[in-house]
Amino acid sequence: MYEIKKIGGGVCAPQGFYAGAVSAGLRPDGSDDVAFIYADTPCETAAVFTTNKMTAAPIRHYRKKGAFKSNFILMNAKNANAMTGPAGIDDIDEILDVLQEKYGVLENPVMSSTGVIGVRLPKAEIIEAAKGFDLTCRDSLGAAKAIMTTDTFYKMVSSEVVCEEGKRFRIGAIAKGAGMINPSMATMLCFVTTDADAPAAELQSALASVTPTTFNAASVDGDTSTNDTVMLFSNRKSGVFDAEAFREALHAMLLELAQMMVSDGEGATKLVTFHVTGAASDAEAETAAKALSNSLLMKTAIYGEDPNWGRVASTIGASGVTCDESTLTIAFDDVLVYEKGEILFDEATEKQAAAVMKREKFSICCDLGMGEGAFDAYGCDLGHEYVKINADYRT
Amino acid sequence: MYEIKKIGGGVCAPQGFYAGAVSAGLRPDGSDDVAFIYADTPCETAAVFTTNKMTAAPIRHYRKKGAFKSNFILMNAKNANAMTGPAGIDDIDEILDVLQEKYGVLENPVMSSTGVIGVRLPKAEIIEAAKGFDLTCRDSLGAAKAIMTTDTFYKMVSSEVVCEEGKRFRIGAIAKGAGMINPSMATMLCFVTTDADAPAAELQSALASVTPTTFNAASVDGDTSTNDTVMLFSNRKSGVFDAEAFREALHAMLLELAQMMVSDGEGATKLVTFHVTGAASDAEAETAAKALSNSLLMKTAIYGEDPNWGRVASTIGASGVTCDESTLTIAFDDVLVYEKGEILFDEATEKQAAAVMKREKFSICCDLGMGEGAFDAYGCDLGHEYVKINADYRT
C-alpha cells in the first residue's frame, strides 16, 4: 500500500539536495546559462544516455568513471561540447578540478551540456560563473530555466511517495527539451533526485524500465542528439524504499516531462497520442506508433487540422508491421472513420474528426486487428514555426 | 560498343507506342486528369511496386494477373484508389471492361492511379472521359502532364541507344512525383516504354537493378506511399538489344527522373546529394546517406542555408552505422569543415560553406573512414512551402 502525491520543489524536494544557476554570459540576454545540483552527502547514481554514436564529451567523461558515487552535477546551455574530441573531455576535467578546489566538498562531480555541436566549451567563462554558485541554495526552478534552449517553458516535477506507517520518500526532476526529440532519446536532459533508500542497481533498473514508455515514446522531429541524458541521484536519506512505488512514481513523472517536451516541441501547437492496439506484438505496435508520430505527412496534416485518415493507413502500411486493410480500424479520439475495410468517412464524420483535431490534445487510435500488441507514442504537429526555428538555429 | 543519345518524344519515342490525355473533370481547373499509353502490338511487361503493405487497388489488380503481355495503361490523377478494398479492384475491372469493348484492341489493360487515399474512383467520369481517347495520338507530354499532382513541372525523358552497325533501340519514360518521396519507392509513378528486343525476364532484372540507386535513393519526406509504381513495357519492335547498354540508358533516365522529383519536392528549392564514402559497407553507406536525406534538422538547415555541420555528424551518429568522430570527414562540396577529429570550421570556412549552400545543387560529402562502402542519396530542403502544401492537401 502506498500513495503518490504531487508536491513542489523540483530537484530540491528530496532532503539534502540543492540547486541553483548563474550567468556565464553565454546567452545574448544575459540570463542564467550555467546551473548545478548538489547533494550534501554522496549519492548512488544511475544514468541513461543517447544511442547516438557521436556521443558528446560529457557522456564520455561520465562513462570513463565506471560505477561511482557523486554529489554534484554541473550543467550548461548554449554549447553541447560534442564533436570536440579528447580536448572536450579535458575541458570538463579542467572545469571540475577548479570547482572541486574552490568548494572542497564535491565528490566525483559530473557535467551535462546542451547547445551547439562542434564548438569547444567557453571554459574560462563557465569557471568564472560557476565559482559564484551558492551551494546552500534550493533554486530548482532557476536550474530548470538555465538549461532551457529552444524550450518555451521550464520543465520541473516532484512527488512524495507515502508508504506504510506514514514512511515516505521524495523524487524530484528537472528537464529540458523541445527539438531533436526522438524515440531513441533526444536532445533532452533530465536530472532526477531522490532521498529514497535505493541501491544503485535498483536505480539503474528502474530508470531502464521507465524510459522506453516515457522519453523514448516521445518524438518531435525524429532526430536523436549527441547529448541526451537522464541522470538519477539518490542520497538514501529517507531510509525508506518501496521498489514498486518508486517505479510507479518515476514513470508518472518522466511521462509528464516527456509530454511537456512534446507539447513544447519546436513550433508545436498540439500534443497527439498515437494509440496503437491489436498489433501482432508490442514491438510491432511500437514500430507503428512511432512511424505515425514521426511521419512528416501526419505531422503537417495535424498542423492543418485535416483528418486525412488515408495518411494514417498509408503510414502504418509503410512501417512494415503486419497489417491489412480488412482488419484495420482508425479513429480520431472516439470518432470512427475507418473500420475493418469499411470507409465511415463522410461529411458528418469528417466534421466530427476535424473538430477533434482542433483540440490541443487528442488521440489517433489505430487497431490493427492482428493480436494483442499495444503501444502509445507521443507526437506533435509540424508547422511554420518549426521551420523558422530550425532553418537558422546557429545564428 | 554503343552510344546513348538523349532524344525527344517521351514514351512515344520508341516505335509503336502512343499516348494521350483527356479530362474527366476531376481537377477544379478542368485540365486533363486521365491518360493512356497504348502499344499497337502486345508488350513484354515488368514492374516494381511500393513496399507499403496497404497496397493500392491498381497494384493488386496488376499482381492478380501474374505474368502477362499487355498493350495498354490507363492512368488517372486526383484519386489513388487505395484503402478501397475488393470494391476498388472491381472498379478497375469494370472501367477496363468498358474500354476493351469500346476499342476492341486492348490486351490485358492495366491501370495506375495517384491522388487521395480512401475514396472510391469516380468510375462513371473516368469511363466517359476515357471513351474519348485517340489511340493514334502521340502526345507523351499530355500524358506526363495529366498525371501530375503537386508536381510543379512535368517529368519526361527519352533516349536512343545506337549499337554496332548503327542498329538502334529507344527507351522513353514519363513520371510524376513531388511529395511522399522516400527511399523505398514513394508516391511516384513512372512508365517506361521501349522497342528494345528484350525478353520479360531481362526487363524485370534491369528494372530491379537500377531502382535502388535511382528512385529508391531519392527522398523528399521519408513517407512511402500506397501506389508507387514503375512499369516497363517492351514491344521488341526494333529487333535490337544490348543488355549492358539498356541498363546504362535506363539507369541514366531513371536517375534523371528521380532527381527531377527531388528538385520538385514539395516546396523544395535545392537538390542536395548526400555523398557518403568510407563506410564499413555499401549498406552502411546507404543507411547513413538516407538518414541524412531524411533528417528534418538537416532539411531545415539546408533551407536556412546554414552550414550546421554538427547536425551532419549527429545524424550520422544517430543512424547506427559504424562511425567515430576521429575518422569522420565532412565537406560541403569542396569546402572541408571537419577532418578526422579536427574542426576546420572557422569564420572563413563558414563563409565558404554558406556560399556552397546558396547553390541550387550541391553535395554534402561525408567520409566515415571505416572502409570502402559508398552511396549517394538525393534529398532537398524543407521550408514553409512544404508545410503549406501538406497541412491542407485534401481541401
Side-chain angles (χ1 to χ4, degrees):
Chain A
M1 287 296 298
Y2 53 85
E3 189 194 353
I4 298 168
K5 295 193 294 189
K6 281 196 174 194
I7 57 170
V11 290
C12 301
Q15 321 168 40
F17 284 99
Y18 305 83
V22 294
S23 168
L26 310 180
R27 298 191 198 268
D29 70 355
S31 60
D32 292 348
D33 42 34
V34 173
F36 74 91
I37 295 173
Y38 166 66
D40 56 16
T41 52
C43 297
E44 305 287 352
T45 62
V48 176
F49 295 114
T50 183
T51 57
N52 194 309
K53 291 194 181 173
M54 302 290 180
T55 325
I59 296 173
R60 295 182 186 204
H61 175 266
Y62 184 103
R63 283 185 169 149
K64 223 176 45 173
K65 293 174 173 291
F68 63 102
K69 290 193 176 193
S70 170
N71 69 347
F72 190 81
I73 307 169
L74 176 66
M75 299 161 261
N76 73 281
K78 297 301 282 179
N79 187 312
N81 195 9
M83 298 302 289
T84 49
I89 299 177
D90 293 344
D91 287 346
I92 297 172
D93 276 326
E94 225 176 293
I95 293 169
L96 295 176
D97 283 352
V98 174
L99 298 186
Q100 272 186 294
E101 192 164 327
K102 154 86 182 163
Y103 293 108
V105 293
L106 311 190
E107 186 163 334
N108 278 315
V110 297
M111 190 165 182
S112 191
S113 301
T114 178
V116 167
I117 294 169
V119 179
R120 293 279 296 277
L121 278 182
K123 221 165 19 188
E125 288 83 350
I126 291 176
I127 289 173
E128 198 48 41
K131 280 181 172 173
F133 286 152
D134 172 4
L135 299 192
T136 65
C137 171
R138 291 176 177 272
D139 184 14
S140 177
L141 180 59
K145 286 182 173 171
I147 56 174
M148 286 164 65
T149 52
T150 53
D151 302 62
T152 63
F153 55 85
Y154 68 85
K155 288 144 192 98
M156 181 168 102
V157 292
S158 28
S159 297
E160 184 171 66
V161 180
V162 185
C163 303
E164 276 170 24
E165 299 169 27
K167 288 177 180 166
R168 58 193 69 202
F169 60 85
R170 290 175 164 189
I171 312 174
I174 58 174
K176 64 93 21 179
M180 278 180 99
I181 302 294
N182 177 53
S184 303
M185 306 281 294
T187 296
M188 47 137 306
L189 304 178
C190 176
F191 306 99
V192 188
T193 59
T194 182
D195 52 16
D197 194 9
E202 182 58 43
L203 293 179
Q204 189 63 47
S205 97
L207 206 51
S209 79
V210 304
T211 44
T213 51
T214 57
F215 292 125
N216 289 357
S219 175
V220 169
D221 52 21
D223 278 284
T224 302
S225 103
T226 51
N227 289 57
D228 312 326
T229 295
V230 184
M231 281 188 197
L232 170 51
F233 276 38
S234 167
N235 62 10
R236 311 183 70 159
K237 280 206 176 183
S238 72
V240 181
F241 185 61
D242 176 315
E244 191 190 336
F246 184 79
R247 284 185 190 213
E248 186 180 327
L250 189 67
H251 186 271
M253 290 169 64
L254 299 199
L255 183 62
E256 189 176 347
L257 290 171
Q259 291 182 339
M260 280 188 198
M261 286 181 195
V262 177
S263 292
D264 198 17
E266 291 166 348
T269 62
K270 290 167 196 303
L271 170 63
V272 183
T273 301
F274 296 94
H275 180 64
V276 174
T277 54
S281 66
D282 286 346
E284 290 216 341
E286 183 173 341
T287 299
K290 288 182 174 179
L292 289 165
S293 71
N294 278 312
S295 160
L296 259 177
L297 287 174
M298 281 306 306
K299 292 167 81 70
T300 45
I302 292 166
Y303 176 71
E305 299 176 345
D306 176 7
N308 192 332
W309 67 270
R311 287 190 186 169
V312 178
S314 175
T315 303
I316 291 173
S319 75
V321 303
T322 315
C323 60
D324 191 278
E325 66 183 78
S326 67
T327 62
L328 178 67
T329 296
I330 300 173
F332 292 79
D333 274 349
D334 54 349
V335 181
L336 264 177
V337 291
Y338 183 87
E339 189 174 22
K340 296 180 182 172
E342 201 185 340
I343 299 171
L344 306 175
F345 195 71
D346 55 21
E347 255 181 70
T349 49
E350 173 166 6
K351 216 175 240 180
Q352 288 162 14
V356 167
M357 294 187 78
K358 291 201 187 304
R359 297 175 189 157
E360 265 181 42
K361 290 185 187 185
F362 62 91
S363 295
I364 295 179
C365 307
C366 306
D367 192 285
L368 306 190
M370 289 290 166
E372 300 295 317
F375 194 84
D376 282 352
Y378 308 95
C380 60
D381 52 331
L382 184 144
H384 292 294
E385 273 302 301
Y386 181 89
V387 174
K388 204 184 282 178
I389 292 167
N390 282 292
D392 206 11
Y393 172 65
R394 288 186 323 107
T395 51
Chain B
M1 287 296 299
Y2 54 82
E3 188 193 354
I4 298 169
K5 294 192 294 188
K6 281 196 176 195
I7 57 170
V11 292
C12 301
Q15 319 170 39
F17 283 98
Y18 304 83
V22 295
S23 169
L26 310 181
R27 298 189 198 269
D29 70 355
S31 59
D32 291 348
D33 42 34
V34 173
F36 72 91
I37 295 173
Y38 165 68
D40 56 17
T41 53
C43 298
E44 306 286 352
T45 62
V48 176
F49 295 113
T50 184
T51 56
N52 193 309
K53 291 193 181 171
M54 302 290 177
T55 324
I59 297 173
R60 296 181 186 205
H61 176 265
Y62 184 103
R63 283 187 170 147
K64 219 173 49 170
K65 293 176 172 290
F68 63 100
K69 290 192 177 195
S70 170
N71 68 349
F72 190 80
I73 308 170
L74 175 65
M75 299 160 262
N76 75 281
K78 299 300 282 179
N79 187 312
N81 196 7
M83 298 300 292
T84 47
I89 299 176
D90 292 344
D91 287 345
I92 298 172
D93 276 325
E94 223 175 294
I95 293 170
L96 295 176
D97 283 352
V98 174
L99 299 187
Q100 273 187 295
E101 192 164 326
K102 153 86 184 164
Y103 294 108
V105 293
L106 311 190
E107 186 164 335
N108 276 315
V110 296
M111 189 166 185
S112 191
S113 301
T114 177
V116 167
I117 294 169
V119 180
R120 293 279 298 276
L121 278 182
K123 223 164 20 188
E125 289 83 348
I126 291 176
I127 289 173
E128 197 49 43
K131 281 181 171 174
F133 286 152
D134 171 6
L135 298 190
T136 66
C137 171
R138 291 174 177 271
D139 185 14
S140 177
L141 179 59
K145 286 182 175 173
I147 56 174
M148 286 165 64
T149 52
T150 54
D151 304 61
T152 62
F153 55 83
Y154 68 86
K155 290 149 189 92
M156 181 169 104
V157 292
S158 28
S159 297
E160 184 170 68
V161 180
V162 185
C163 304
E164 276 169 23
E165 298 168 26
K167 288 178 182 166
R168 56 195 67 203
F169 60 86
R170 290 175 166 191
I171 312 175
I174 58 173
K176 64 89 30 176
M180 279 181 98
I181 302 295
N182 179 52
S184 301
M185 306 284 295
T187 296
M188 48 139 305
L189 303 179
C190 176
F191 306 97
V192 189
T193 58
T194 182
D195 53 16
D197 192 10
E202 182 59 42
L203 294 181
Q204 189 63 46
S205 99
L207 206 50
S209 79
V210 304
T211 44
T213 51
T214 58
F215 292 125
N216 289 355
S219 175
V220 168
D221 53 20
D223 279 284
T224 302
S225 103
T226 50
N227 290 58
D228 312 326
T229 295
V230 184
M231 282 189 197
L232 171 51
F233 275 38
S234 167
N235 62 10
R236 311 182 72 161
K237 280 207 175 183
S238 71
V240 180
F241 185 61
D242 175 315
E244 191 190 334
F246 184 77
R247 286 186 188 213
E248 187 179 325
L250 188 66
H251 185 271
M253 289 170 64
L254 299 199
L255 183 61
E256 190 177 346
L257 290 171
Q259 291 181 339
M260 278 186 197
M261 286 181 194
V262 176
S263 293
D264 198 15
E266 290 166 350
T269 62
K270 291 167 197 302
L271 170 64
V272 183
T273 302
F274 296 94
H275 180 62
V276 174
T277 55
S281 66
D282 286 347
E284 290 217 340
E286 183 173 340
T287 300
K290 289 181 173 178
L292 288 165
S293 70
N294 278 311
S295 160
L296 259 179
L297 287 173
M298 282 306 306
K299 294 167 82 68
T300 46
I302 292 165
Y303 177 70
E305 301 178 344
D306 177 7
N308 193 332
W309 67 269
R311 288 189 185 168
V312 179
S314 176
T315 303
I316 291 172
S319 75
V321 303
T322 314
C323 60
D324 191 278
E325 64 182 80
S326 67
T327 62
L328 178 67
T329 296
I330 300 172
F332 291 79
D333 274 350
D334 54 349
V335 181
L336 265 177
V337 292
Y338 182 88
E339 190 173 22
K340 296 179 182 172
E342 202 183 342
I343 300 171
L344 305 173
F345 195 72
D346 55 20
E347 257 183 65
T349 48
E350 175 167 5
K351 214 175 242 180
Q352 288 163 14
V356 167
M357 295 187 77
K358 290 198 188 307
R359 296 174 189 158
E360 264 181 46
K361 288 185 189 186
F362 62 91
S363 294
I364 295 180
C365 307
C366 306
D367 191 284
L368 306 190
M370 289 288 166
E372 301 294 318
F375 194 83
D376 282 351
Y378 307 95
C380 59
D381 52 334
L382 181 144
H384 292 293
E385 274 301 301
Y386 180 88
V387 174
K388 204 183 285 177
I389 292 167
N390 282 292
D392 206 11
Y393 173 64
R394 287 187 321 108
T395 50

